[in-house]
Amino acid sequence: MTEAPVEDIVRRLSKRPGYRLVTYREVGLPFWDVPVRCRLLARKSLGVLDEFTLRCVEAGLNVSDDVSRFLNLPTEVTDAVMGRLVVKGHIIAVLANSDTATVHYVISDSGRQAAKQLAEVTPEERTLRLAFDGLTRKYTHIERSLRWRPRDLRAHDIQEIPAFPVDPPAVGPDDTSEVSLVLRDVTETAKHDLITVMSLDGKREKFFLRAIALIFESADKPDEVQVQFAIDGRLSEDHALAFAKSEGRRKIGLTGPLRDIESTIDSLLGEELLKLRADEAEVAAIRRTAENYKNQLSTFEERVSDATDERKEPLVELATEMAGRLDAAEEALRSIPVRVLEVHEHRPLLLEALKSARERLMIISPWIRTAVVNESFVADLERLLKSGVSVAIGFGIDGNAAAGGNDQAAERRLADLSSAHSNFQFVRLGDTHAKVLVVDHSYAVVTSFNWLSFRGDPNRPFRDERGTMITIAAEVDRLYSDYSARIESIAQG
């Protein structure tokens, strides 16, 4: 199954009554790989009642009433068990007296074989490597392929969520009931019953499970923030609750309001544009309408692909109608001159700009990360340059300090492209807090979203990363001219 893009998951989970999504980030949830020494018993072919009833018949208790008295069970229970054993062929019903219709039971050859095999099942000791959740403090089973090492997180700029408490779990008999719940998910013990957990049998190693942290802000109380975690595309309330109880927000630096008081968005836009910004509720309603049409269109398209020829024509008509409604809703969204751009809309917009720009493209971003400026990004950018589009990228917030680690490679690749193409200006601005995207004369975005480092930066504070999209041509040109003049002067210098 193809993994869903992060933004698709975020968009789907972004609706929370009374709250608005202001930012998200890929994170690693903490776990330990724990070697647990256990005493197990292979699950028997017969249940407990069936086994003891069979042994009673083998021992000579051949009347149902005698077995009931010996096992201290109701007669109806014994009759049902003996009926099952007859059906399995382990015992044979014999009419002992035709006058009284008394039924005796005798064990069959297959019954003797079954009793022998049951007697040979003895407890065994095994060491099971189980996952222990560092937030919920529960044992679970996680496939090896899904486990990320600390260095894997660092390589992908994924933030580590700390465990609480920080110590790995102690292991002992008190864990028996919880570990027993996990056995059914472990292939090699799926047909075993747990007698007891014995002890720790080796080193506990820390690993992480990739997830998405979604940060929601109350619509009425900006200081009220909720952190949710999506694992495999689904929200985990257990992890959200455990994170809140452990004061997780403080531990990852998510304190105070999410508004960045140093943000240059308002100053870049100016009062007149801010007055034109559409009401967020109105924009959200249009966006929900478009998403509903998109989901319905997808459903119709799936039904068309599976339908018979007779049913296809009306379904195609419905799909065509829904596509028209979707186009109208998206056009209504595009026609809003100034509107809020949700955080999950940014990345798809940038990737689309790399493919659709026809005349000019400008990106202003403080940081550049290899996780974003990867082979695919560079290939799209090079195609754009070869088609004659004028591209300008301004970056840098830390003077002339060089990028660290793998990020140097990303800067070098862009610098090499700039050297090879006269229509590409790649300039270190050195002190820019702004994050700007300009595409042709069509639209500009001023935002808190880091265009070239959005996929992750553990050192980046959590901030409201929604932006403002402008489609007024004169304002688009103004923003482009302002930054173009600065880039040009630095490039010439």
Side-chain angles (χ1 to χ4, degrees):
M1 181 180 295
T2 303
E3 183 180 357
V6 170
E7 285 68 29
D8 286 355
I9 296 172
V10 173
R11 176 180 52 80
R12 178 167 50 81
L13 301 177
S14 64
K15 304 168 189 64
R16 195 168 188 84
Y19 289 81
R20 51 177 171 249
L21 178 71
V22 293
T23 188
Y24 67 92
R25 188 175 300 178
E26 289 190 78
V27 297
L29 297 179
F31 287 80
W32 278 278
D33 179 77
V34 183
V36 181
R37 191 68 177 173
C38 299
R39 183 172 288 117
L40 303 168
L41 184 68
R43 199 164 295 143
K44 297 182 177 182
S45 57
L46 294 177
V48 174
L49 291 180
D50 295 58
E51 179 184 355
F52 277 88
T53 301
L54 180 63
R55 294 191 183 282
C56 286
V57 176
E58 184 182 33
L61 296 177
N62 54 11
V63 178
S64 177
D65 290 345
D66 293 340
V67 175
S68 295
R69 284 190 292 272
F70 182 78
L71 296 178
N72 194 26
L73 292 172
T75 303
E76 57 269 22
V77 173
T78 306
D79 288 341
V81 172
M82 298 183 87
R84 286 201 300 269
L85 293 173
V86 170
V87 172
K88 289 178 179 291
H90 292 335
I91 62 175
I92 302 170
V94 179
L95 188 61
N97 189 320
S98 59
D99 294 334
T100 60
T102 302
V103 176
H104 286 185
Y105 294 91
V106 295
I107 192 166
S108 66
D109 289 340
S110 69
R112 289 191 183 89
Q113 183 65 27
K116 181 181 178 182
Q117 291 174 347
L118 291 169
E120 292 173 351
V121 177
T122 57
E124 60 179 296
E125 292 184 9
R126 286 194 191 183
T127 296
L128 306 178
R129 301 203 72 94
L130 302 178
F132 184 83
D133 195 317
L135 284 181
T136 65
R137 312 301 292 182
K138 294 179 181 179
Y139 285 95
T140 184
H141 175 68
I142 295 178
E143 296 290 344
R144 293 277 170 183
S145 61
L146 300 177
R147 300 182 177 195
W148 286 53
R149 296 165 297 180
R151 68 185 184 203
D152 296 328
L153 296 187
R154 291 192 294 271
H156 290 80
D157 283 333
I158 294 178
Q159 179 161 0
E160 172 184 329
I161 299 297
F164 181 81
V166 296
D167 298 325
V171 179
D174 290 344
D175 298 315
T176 299
S177 60
E178 190 173 324
V179 170
S180 65
L181 299 175
V182 186
L183 291 188
R184 65 175 68 95
D185 297 324
V186 182
T187 304
E188 61 267 29
T189 58
K191 296 183 178 180
H192 287 68
D193 292 316
L194 177 65
I195 299 175
T196 185
V197 169
M198 300 171 65
S199 63
L200 181 69
D201 188 23
K203 184 180 179 181
R204 295 158 295 191
E205 298 179 353
K206 198 169 188 179
F207 70 92
F208 295 88
L209 179 65
R210 184 178 166 193
I212 303 171
L214 299 99
I215 316 300
F216 292 88
E217 178 186 81
S218 171
D220 302 322
K221 304 174 182 176
D223 291 340
E224 185 178 320
V225 175
Q226 285 189 1
V227 181
Q228 297 289 325
F229 295 99
I231 303 173
D232 194 24
R234 294 185 292 273
L235 289 179
S236 171
E237 295 296 340
D238 288 345
H239 285 89
L241 182 60
F243 182 79
K245 286 183 176 179
S246 68
E247 298 184 358
R249 285 177 51 195
R250 176 181 58 80
K251 293 174 183 176
I252 64 172
L254 185 55
T255 56
L258 291 168
R259 307 292 179 194
D260 189 347
I261 59 174
E262 296 181 354
S263 173
T264 57
I265 294 179
D266 288 358
S267 61
L268 283 175
L269 294 176
E271 290 185 9
E272 294 304 316
L273 274 182
L274 290 175
K275 291 177 182 178
L276 293 174
R277 190 158 56 190
D279 180 71
E280 289 188 37
E282 176 187 343
V283 175
I286 298 174
R287 188 182 294 111
R288 282 196 302 271
T289 300
E291 289 177 4
N292 288 336
Y293 287 151
K294 186 175 183 179
N295 292 335
Q296 291 181 53
L297 177 59
S298 178
T299 300
F300 282 129
E301 288 174 342
E302 289 178 5
R303 290 174 62 186
V304 167
S305 63
D306 297 334
T308 61
D309 291 339
E310 184 180 352
R311 289 287 300 152
K312 270 187 180 179
E313 186 174 345
L315 287 173
V316 168
E317 291 179 359
L318 288 172
T320 303
E321 179 184 351
M322 198 56 61
R325 293 182 182 181
L326 174 60
D327 289 342
E330 291 180 340
E331 179 57 34
L333 201 59
R334 285 192 295 267
S335 66
I336 299 175
V338 185
R339 73 172 178 92
V340 169
L341 192 72
E342 297 296 335
V343 60
H344 55 80
E345 294 182 274
H346 286 75
R347 182 186 178 222
L349 195 67
L350 173 64
L351 298 182
E352 176 61 27
L354 287 170
K355 298 180 184 300
S356 64
R358 293 293 176 264
E359 182 181 338
R360 64 187 186 183
L361 173 67
M362 176 180 286
I363 304 170
I364 307 297
S365 181
W367 298 280
I368 295 175
R369 296 284 184 261
T370 304
V372 177
V373 183
N374 51 25
E375 290 184 7
S376 176
F377 181 99
V378 172
D380 285 342
L381 182 58
E382 189 168 16
R383 278 194 293 270
L384 209 61
L385 293 167
K386 288 180 178 179
S387 70
V389 174
S390 175
V391 177
I393 294 181
F395 72 103
I397 194 173
D398 47 5
N400 292 317
N406 294 333
D407 298 327
Q408 291 182 358
E411 289 189 15
R412 282 198 301 270
R413 296 179 78 174
L414 293 178
D416 290 343
L417 271 182
S418 179
S419 299
H421 297 273
S422 60
N423 54 331
F424 181 22
Q425 291 180 308
F426 179 59
V427 173
R428 180 184 291 275
L429 300 177
D431 61 353
T432 180
H433 288 266
K435 297 93 175 176
V436 179
L437 175 71
V438 181
V439 180
D440 296 329
H441 301 274
S442 303
Y443 62 86
V445 178
V446 181
T447 179
S448 296
F449 184 86
N450 293 287
W451 293 108
L452 301 181
S453 64
F454 57 80
R455 295 203 67 173
D457 182 353
N459 299 316
R460 175 166 55 91
F462 288 93
R463 288 290 181 264
D464 185 345
E465 292 187 320
R466 294 173 301 164
T468 298
M469 187 174 193
I470 306 109
T471 59
I472 302 171
E475 294 297 333
V476 173
D477 291 343
R478 177 183 67 81
L479 284 167
Y480 183 87
S481 297
D482 288 348
Y483 279 97
S484 182
R486 186 177 177 196
I487 288 173
E488 185 67 33
S489 66
I490 293 176
Q492 290 180 355

PDB file of all heavy atoms in Angstrom, residues 9-35:
ATOM      1  N   ILE A   9      -2.917  13.544   5.107  1.00  0.00           N
ATOM      2  CA  ILE A   9      -3.328  13.103   6.439  1.00  0.00           C
ATOM      3  C   ILE A   9      -3.677  14.298   7.309  1.00  0.00           C
ATOM      4  O   ILE A   9      -4.709  14.319   7.988  1.00  0.00           O
ATOM      5  CB  ILE A   9      -2.199  12.276   7.097  1.00  0.00           C
ATOM      6  CG1 ILE A   9      -1.944  10.985   6.301  1.00  0.00           C
ATOM      7  CG2 ILE A   9      -2.540  11.939   8.540  1.00  0.00           C
ATOM      8  CD1 ILE A   9      -0.742  10.203   6.761  1.00  0.00           C
ATOM      9  N   VAL A  10      -2.829  15.324   7.263  1.00  0.00           N
ATOM     10  CA  VAL A  10      -3.059  16.522   8.076  1.00  0.00           C
ATOM     11  C   VAL A  10      -4.355  17.209   7.674  1.00  0.00           C
ATOM     12  O   VAL A  10      -5.152  17.618   8.529  1.00  0.00           O
ATOM     13  CB  VAL A  10      -1.866  17.491   7.950  1.00  0.00           C
ATOM     14  CG1 VAL A  10      -2.173  18.812   8.644  1.00  0.00           C
ATOM     15  CG2 VAL A  10      -0.610  16.862   8.549  1.00  0.00           C
ATOM     16  N   ARG A  11      -4.578  17.334   6.366  1.00  0.00           N
ATOM     17  CA  ARG A  11      -5.819  17.976   5.893  1.00  0.00           C
ATOM     18  C   ARG A  11      -7.048  17.222   6.399  1.00  0.00           C
ATOM     19  O   ARG A  11      -8.017  17.830   6.850  1.00  0.00           O
ATOM     20  CB  ARG A  11      -5.816  18.015   4.362  1.00  0.00           C
ATOM     21  CG  ARG A  11      -7.098  18.570   3.755  1.00  0.00           C
ATOM     22  CD  ARG A  11      -7.030  18.587   2.237  1.00  0.00           C
ATOM     23  NE  ARG A  11      -6.659  17.289   1.689  1.00  0.00           N
ATOM     24  CZ  ARG A  11      -7.526  16.270   1.544  1.00  0.00           C
ATOM     25  NH1 ARG A  11      -8.784  16.413   1.927  1.00  0.00           N
ATOM     26  NH2 ARG A  11      -7.118  15.139   1.028  1.00  0.00           N
ATOM     27  N   ARG A  12      -6.991  15.901   6.324  1.00  0.00           N
ATOM     28  CA  ARG A  12      -8.138  15.088   6.756  1.00  0.00           C
ATOM     29  C   ARG A  12      -8.393  15.206   8.255  1.00  0.00           C
ATOM     30  O   ARG A  12      -9.548  15.150   8.703  1.00  0.00           O
ATOM     31  CB  ARG A  12      -7.880  13.631   6.363  1.00  0.00           C
ATOM     32  CG  ARG A  12      -8.963  12.660   6.787  1.00  0.00           C
ATOM     33  CD  ARG A  12      -8.803  11.323   6.102  1.00  0.00           C
ATOM     34  NE  ARG A  12      -7.458  10.802   6.197  1.00  0.00           N
ATOM     35  CZ  ARG A  12      -6.970  10.165   7.271  1.00  0.00           C
ATOM     36  NH1 ARG A  12      -7.734  10.016   8.347  1.00  0.00           N
ATOM     37  NH2 ARG A  12      -5.740   9.687   7.279  1.00  0.00           N
ATOM     38  N   LEU A  13      -7.328  15.383   9.032  1.00  0.00           N
ATOM     39  CA  LEU A  13      -7.464  15.417  10.487  1.00  0.00           C
ATOM     40  C   LEU A  13      -7.491  16.836  11.050  1.00  0.00           C
ATOM     41  O   LEU A  13      -7.488  17.012  12.265  1.00  0.00           O
ATOM     42  CB  LEU A  13      -6.301  14.645  11.129  1.00  0.00           C
ATOM     43  CG  LEU A  13      -6.169  13.168  10.739  1.00  0.00           C
ATOM     44  CD1 LEU A  13      -4.934  12.562  11.396  1.00  0.00           C
ATOM     45  CD2 LEU A  13      -7.407  12.385  11.135  1.00  0.00           C
ATOM     46  N   SER A  14      -7.522  17.836  10.171  1.00  0.00           N
ATOM     47  CA  SER A  14      -7.393  19.226  10.616  1.00  0.00           C
ATOM     48  C   SER A  14      -8.659  19.807  11.221  1.00  0.00           C
ATOM     49  O   SER A  14      -8.624  20.881  11.812  1.00  0.00           O
ATOM     50  CB  SER A  14      -6.944  20.111   9.448  1.00  0.00           C
ATOM     51  OG  SER A  14      -7.941  20.126   8.429  1.00  0.00           O
ATOM     52  N   LYS A  15      -9.765  19.087  11.085  1.00  0.00           N
ATOM     53  CA  LYS A  15     -11.037  19.627  11.584  1.00  0.00           C
ATOM     54  C   LYS A  15     -11.266  19.143  13.011  1.00  0.00           C
ATOM     55  O   LYS A  15     -11.409  17.954  13.260  1.00  0.00           O
ATOM     56  CB  LYS A  15     -12.186  19.188  10.669  1.00  0.00           C
ATOM     57  CG  LYS A  15     -11.981  19.576   9.220  1.00  0.00           C
ATOM     58  CD  LYS A  15     -12.987  18.877   8.311  1.00  0.00           C
ATOM     59  CE  LYS A  15     -12.641  19.097   6.863  1.00  0.00           C
ATOM     60  NZ  LYS A  15     -11.333  18.491   6.490  1.00  0.00           N
ATOM     61  N   ARG A  16     -11.307  20.086  13.939  1.00  0.00           N
ATOM     62  CA  ARG A  16     -11.546  19.789  15.346  1.00  0.00           C
ATOM     63  C   ARG A  16     -12.462  20.870  15.896  1.00  0.00           C
ATOM     64  O   ARG A  16     -12.081  22.050  15.929  1.00  0.00           O
ATOM     65  CB  ARG A  16     -10.232  19.738  16.108  1.00  0.00           C
ATOM     66  CG  ARG A  16     -10.328  19.084  17.470  1.00  0.00           C
ATOM     67  CD  ARG A  16      -8.942  18.810  18.045  1.00  0.00           C
ATOM     68  NE  ARG A  16      -9.017  18.017  19.250  1.00  0.00           N
ATOM     69  CZ  ARG A  16      -9.106  16.700  19.266  1.00  0.00           C
ATOM     70  NH1 ARG A  16      -9.134  16.027  18.130  1.00  0.00           N
ATOM     71  NH2 ARG A  16      -9.173  16.031  20.402  1.00  0.00           N
ATOM     72  N   PRO A  17     -13.687  20.513  16.302  1.00  0.00           N
ATOM     73  CA  PRO A  17     -14.656  21.526  16.744  1.00  0.00           C
ATOM     74  C   PRO A  17     -14.092  22.448  17.820  1.00  0.00           C
ATOM     75  O   PRO A  17     -13.544  21.997  18.823  1.00  0.00           O
ATOM     76  CB  PRO A  17     -15.814  20.666  17.304  1.00  0.00           C
ATOM     77  CG  PRO A  17     -15.695  19.365  16.570  1.00  0.00           C
ATOM     78  CD  PRO A  17     -14.230  19.150  16.381  1.00  0.00           C
ATOM     79  N   GLY A  18     -14.212  23.755  17.579  1.00  0.00           N
ATOM     80  CA  GLY A  18     -13.754  24.734  18.547  1.00  0.00           C
ATOM     81  C   GLY A  18     -12.275  25.052  18.466  1.00  0.00           C
ATOM     82  O   GLY A  18     -11.784  25.908  19.206  1.00  0.00           O
ATOM     83  N   TYR A  19     -11.560  24.377  17.553  1.00  0.00           N
ATOM     84  CA  TYR A  19     -10.116  24.588  17.438  1.00  0.00           C
ATOM     85  C   TYR A  19      -9.737  24.768  15.976  1.00  0.00           C
ATOM     86  O   TYR A  19     -10.473  24.374  15.079  1.00  0.00           O
ATOM     87  CB  TYR A  19      -9.335  23.409  18.017  1.00  0.00           C
ATOM     88  CG  TYR A  19      -9.400  23.312  19.517  1.00  0.00           C
ATOM     89  CD1 TYR A  19     -10.495  22.732  20.153  1.00  0.00           C
ATOM     90  CD2 TYR A  19      -8.368  23.806  20.316  1.00  0.00           C
ATOM     91  CE1 TYR A  19     -10.567  22.654  21.534  1.00  0.00           C
ATOM     92  CE2 TYR A  19      -8.420  23.723  21.698  1.00  0.00           C
ATOM     93  CZ  TYR A  19      -9.522  23.142  22.303  1.00  0.00           C
ATOM     94  OH  TYR A  19      -9.589  23.065  23.671  1.00  0.00           O
ATOM     95  N   ARG A  20      -8.572  25.343  15.755  1.00  0.00           N
ATOM     96  CA  ARG A  20      -8.041  25.449  14.402  1.00  0.00           C
ATOM     97  C   ARG A  20      -6.599  24.940  14.409  1.00  0.00           C
ATOM     98  O   ARG A  20      -5.827  25.206  15.338  1.00  0.00           O
ATOM     99  CB  ARG A  20      -8.113  26.881  13.880  1.00  0.00           C
ATOM    100  CG  ARG A  20      -7.522  27.939  14.786  1.00  0.00           C
ATOM    101  CD  ARG A  20      -7.572  29.314  14.143  1.00  0.00           C
ATOM    102  NE  ARG A  20      -7.205  30.352  15.088  1.00  0.00           N
ATOM    103  CZ  ARG A  20      -8.066  31.249  15.577  1.00  0.00           C
ATOM    104  NH1 ARG A  20      -9.330  31.238  15.197  1.00  0.00           N
ATOM    105  NH2 ARG A  20      -7.661  32.168  16.438  1.00  0.00           N
ATOM    106  N   LEU A  21      -6.247  24.248  13.356  1.00  0.00           N
ATOM    107  CA  LEU A  21      -4.898  23.728  13.225  1.00  0.00           C
ATOM    108  C   LEU A  21      -3.960  24.869  12.831  1.00  0.00           C
ATOM    109  O   LEU A  21      -4.203  25.561  11.851  1.00  0.00           O
ATOM    110  CB  LEU A  21      -4.851  22.633  12.160  1.00  0.00           C
ATOM    111  CG  LEU A  21      -3.474  22.030  11.891  1.00  0.00           C
ATOM    112  CD1 LEU A  21      -3.025  21.169  13.068  1.00  0.00           C
ATOM    113  CD2 LEU A  21      -3.490  21.196  10.621  1.00  0.00           C
ATOM    114  N   VAL A  22      -2.898  25.049  13.606  1.00  0.00           N
ATOM    115  CA  VAL A  22      -1.979  26.148  13.302  1.00  0.00           C
ATOM    116  C   VAL A  22      -0.615  25.660  12.813  1.00  0.00           C
ATOM    117  O   VAL A  22       0.103  26.398  12.128  1.00  0.00           O
ATOM    118  CB  VAL A  22      -1.793  27.079  14.522  1.00  0.00           C
ATOM    119  CG1 VAL A  22      -3.077  27.811  14.834  1.00  0.00           C
ATOM    120  CG2 VAL A  22      -1.301  26.310  15.741  1.00  0.00           C
ATOM    121  N   THR A  23      -0.240  24.440  13.136  1.00  0.00           N
ATOM    122  CA  THR A  23       1.006  23.903  12.617  1.00  0.00           C
ATOM    123  C   THR A  23       1.032  22.393  12.844  1.00  0.00           C
ATOM    124  O   THR A  23       0.204  21.842  13.570  1.00  0.00           O
ATOM    125  CB  THR A  23       2.237  24.560  13.289  1.00  0.00           C
ATOM    126  OG1 THR A  23       3.426  24.128  12.625  1.00  0.00           O
ATOM    127  CG2 THR A  23       2.328  24.180  14.759  1.00  0.00           C
ATOM    128  N   TYR A  24       1.976  21.729  12.218  1.00  0.00           N
ATOM    129  CA  TYR A  24       2.154  20.288  12.400  1.00  0.00           C
ATOM    130  C   TYR A  24       3.617  19.967  12.180  1.00  0.00           C
ATOM    131  O   TYR A  24       4.386  20.770  11.639  1.00  0.00           O
ATOM    132  CB  TYR A  24       1.281  19.492  11.424  1.00  0.00           C
ATOM    133  CG  TYR A  24       1.680  19.653   9.970  1.00  0.00           C
ATOM    134  CD1 TYR A  24       2.570  18.772   9.373  1.00  0.00           C
ATOM    135  CD2 TYR A  24       1.171  20.697   9.205  1.00  0.00           C
ATOM    136  CE1 TYR A  24       2.948  18.930   8.040  1.00  0.00           C
ATOM    137  CE2 TYR A  24       1.542  20.861   7.878  1.00  0.00           C
ATOM    138  CZ  TYR A  24       2.428  19.978   7.302  1.00  0.00           C
ATOM    139  OH  TYR A  24       2.807  20.136   5.995  1.00  0.00           O
ATOM    140  N   ARG A  25       4.021  18.791  12.595  1.00  0.00           N
ATOM    141  CA  ARG A  25       5.415  18.394  12.425  1.00  0.00           C
ATOM    142  C   ARG A  25       5.518  16.880  12.541  1.00  0.00           C
ATOM    143  O   ARG A  25       4.819  16.260  13.343  1.00  0.00           O
ATOM    144  CB  ARG A  25       6.284  19.054  13.489  1.00  0.00           C
ATOM    145  CG  ARG A  25       7.781  18.856  13.277  1.00  0.00           C
ATOM    146  CD  ARG A  25       8.579  19.643  14.288  1.00  0.00           C
ATOM    147  NE  ARG A  25       8.302  21.076  14.200  1.00  0.00           N
ATOM    148  CZ  ARG A  25       8.837  21.981  15.007  1.00  0.00           C
ATOM    149  NH1 ARG A  25       9.671  21.599  15.962  1.00  0.00           N
ATOM    150  NH2 ARG A  25       8.539  23.245  14.868  1.00  0.00           N
ATOM    151  N   GLU A  26       6.397  16.301  11.739  1.00  0.00           N
ATOM    152  CA  GLU A  26       6.681  14.878  11.896  1.00  0.00           C
ATOM    153  C   GLU A  26       7.539  14.681  13.140  1.00  0.00           C
ATOM    154  O   GLU A  26       8.490  15.428  13.373  1.00  0.00           O
ATOM    155  CB  GLU A  26       7.408  14.340  10.666  1.00  0.00           C
ATOM    156  CG  GLU A  26       6.519  14.244   9.436  1.00  0.00           C
ATOM    157  CD  GLU A  26       7.188  13.484   8.315  1.00  0.00           C
ATOM    158  OE1 GLU A  26       7.219  12.241   8.388  1.00  0.00           O
ATOM    159  OE2 GLU A  26       7.677  14.130   7.379  1.00  0.00           O
ATOM    160  N   VAL A  27       7.181  13.681  13.940  1.00  0.00           N
ATOM    161  CA  VAL A  27       7.885  13.428  15.200  1.00  0.00           C
ATOM    162  C   VAL A  27       8.135  11.937  15.351  1.00  0.00           C
ATOM    163  O   VAL A  27       7.580  11.104  14.618  1.00  0.00           O
ATOM    164  CB  VAL A  27       7.073  13.942  16.413  1.00  0.00           C
ATOM    165  CG1 VAL A  27       6.895  15.449  16.359  1.00  0.00           C
ATOM    166  CG2 VAL A  27       5.708  13.246  16.483  1.00  0.00           C
ATOM    167  N   GLY A  28       8.980  11.601  16.321  1.00  0.00           N
ATOM    168  CA  GLY A  28       9.215  10.207  16.683  1.00  0.00           C
ATOM    169  C   GLY A  28       8.700   9.958  18.081  1.00  0.00           C
ATOM    170  O   GLY A  28       9.130  10.613  19.039  1.00  0.00           O
ATOM    171  N   LEU A  29       7.751   9.035  18.233  1.00  0.00           N
ATOM    172  CA  LEU A  29       7.223   8.681  19.548  1.00  0.00           C
ATOM    173  C   LEU A  29       8.143   7.651  20.194  1.00  0.00           C
ATOM    174  O   LEU A  29       8.603   6.714  19.539  1.00  0.00           O
ATOM    175  CB  LEU A  29       5.803   8.122  19.422  1.00  0.00           C
ATOM    176  CG  LEU A  29       4.753   9.094  18.868  1.00  0.00           C
ATOM    177  CD1 LEU A  29       3.401   8.408  18.774  1.00  0.00           C
ATOM    178  CD2 LEU A  29       4.656  10.338  19.742  1.00  0.00           C
ATOM    179  N   PRO A  30       8.406   7.782  21.511  1.00  0.00           N
ATOM    180  CA  PRO A  30       9.435   6.954  22.165  1.00  0.00           C
ATOM    181  C   PRO A  30       8.935   5.552  22.542  1.00  0.00           C
ATOM    182  O   PRO A  30       7.842   5.385  23.074  1.00  0.00           O
ATOM    183  CB  PRO A  30       9.757   7.756  23.426  1.00  0.00           C
ATOM    184  CG  PRO A  30       8.457   8.437  23.758  1.00  0.00           C
ATOM    185  CD  PRO A  30       7.807   8.766  22.428  1.00  0.00           C
ATOM    186  N   PHE A  31       9.784   4.562  22.267  1.00  0.00           N
ATOM    187  CA  PHE A  31       9.522   3.174  22.646  1.00  0.00           C
ATOM    188  C   PHE A  31      10.831   2.525  23.088  1.00  0.00           C
ATOM    189  O   PHE A  31      11.915   3.012  22.786  1.00  0.00           O
ATOM    190  CB  PHE A  31       8.951   2.375  21.461  1.00  0.00           C
ATOM    191  CG  PHE A  31       7.530   2.704  21.117  1.00  0.00           C
ATOM    192  CD1 PHE A  31       7.224   3.835  20.364  1.00  0.00           C
ATOM    193  CD2 PHE A  31       6.486   1.890  21.524  1.00  0.00           C
ATOM    194  CE1 PHE A  31       5.918   4.145  20.045  1.00  0.00           C
ATOM    195  CE2 PHE A  31       5.181   2.194  21.200  1.00  0.00           C
ATOM    196  CZ  PHE A  31       4.893   3.317  20.461  1.00  0.00           C
ATOM    197  N   TRP A  32      10.708   1.414  23.806  1.00  0.00           N
ATOM    198  CA  TRP A  32      11.852   0.555  24.095  1.00  0.00           C
ATOM    199  C   TRP A  32      11.599  -0.836  23.539  1.00  0.00           C
ATOM    200  O   TRP A  32      10.467  -1.340  23.602  1.00  0.00           O
ATOM    201  CB  TRP A  32      12.095   0.443  25.598  1.00  0.00           C
ATOM    202  CG  TRP A  32      12.851   1.572  26.199  1.00  0.00           C
ATOM    203  CD1 TRP A  32      14.195   1.763  26.227  1.00  0.00           C
ATOM    204  CD2 TRP A  32      12.292   2.704  26.875  1.00  0.00           C
ATOM    205  NE1 TRP A  32      14.517   2.938  26.876  1.00  0.00           N
ATOM    206  CE2 TRP A  32      13.365   3.524  27.285  1.00  0.00           C
ATOM    207  CE3 TRP A  32      10.985   3.103  27.183  1.00  0.00           C
ATOM    208  CZ2 TRP A  32      13.172   4.716  27.972  1.00  0.00           C
ATOM    209  CZ3 TRP A  32      10.794   4.277  27.867  1.00  0.00           C
ATOM    210  CH2 TRP A  32      11.882   5.080  28.244  1.00  0.00           C
ATOM    211  N   ASP A  33      12.637  -1.416  22.982  1.00  0.00           N
ATOM    212  CA  ASP A  33      12.609  -2.834  22.620  1.00  0.00           C
ATOM    213  C   ASP A  33      13.053  -3.594  23.875  1.00  0.00           C
ATOM    214  O   ASP A  33      14.188  -3.432  24.339  1.00  0.00           O
ATOM    215  CB  ASP A  33      13.561  -3.101  21.457  1.00  0.00           C
ATOM    216  CG  ASP A  33      13.585  -4.569  21.072  1.00  0.00           C
ATOM    217  OD1 ASP A  33      12.636  -5.014  20.418  1.00  0.00           O
ATOM    218  OD2 ASP A  33      14.563  -5.262  21.448  1.00  0.00           O
ATOM    219  N   VAL A  34      12.155  -4.413  24.428  1.00  0.00           N
ATOM    220  CA  VAL A  34      12.403  -5.035  25.726  1.00  0.00           C
ATOM    221  C   VAL A  34      12.422  -6.561  25.584  1.00  0.00           C
ATOM    222  O   VAL A  34      11.428  -7.161  25.148  1.00  0.00           O
ATOM    223  CB  VAL A  34      11.317  -4.634  26.743  1.00  0.00           C
ATOM    224  CG1 VAL A  34      11.624  -5.222  28.115  1.00  0.00           C
ATOM    225  CG2 VAL A  34      11.190  -3.119  26.825  1.00  0.00           C
ATOM    226  N   PRO A  35      13.529  -7.225  25.951  1.00  0.00           N
ATOM    227  CA  PRO A  35      13.564  -8.694  25.950  1.00  0.00           C
ATOM    228  C   PRO A  35      12.924  -9.223  27.235  1.00  0.00           C
ATOM    229  O   PRO A  35      13.463  -9.055  28.333  1.00  0.00           O
ATOM    230  CB  PRO A  35      15.057  -9.015  25.884  1.00  0.00           C
ATOM    231  CG  PRO A  35      15.737  -7.831  26.468  1.00  0.00           C
ATOM    232  CD  PRO A  35      14.844  -6.639  26.260  1.00  0.00           C
TER     233      PRO A  35
END
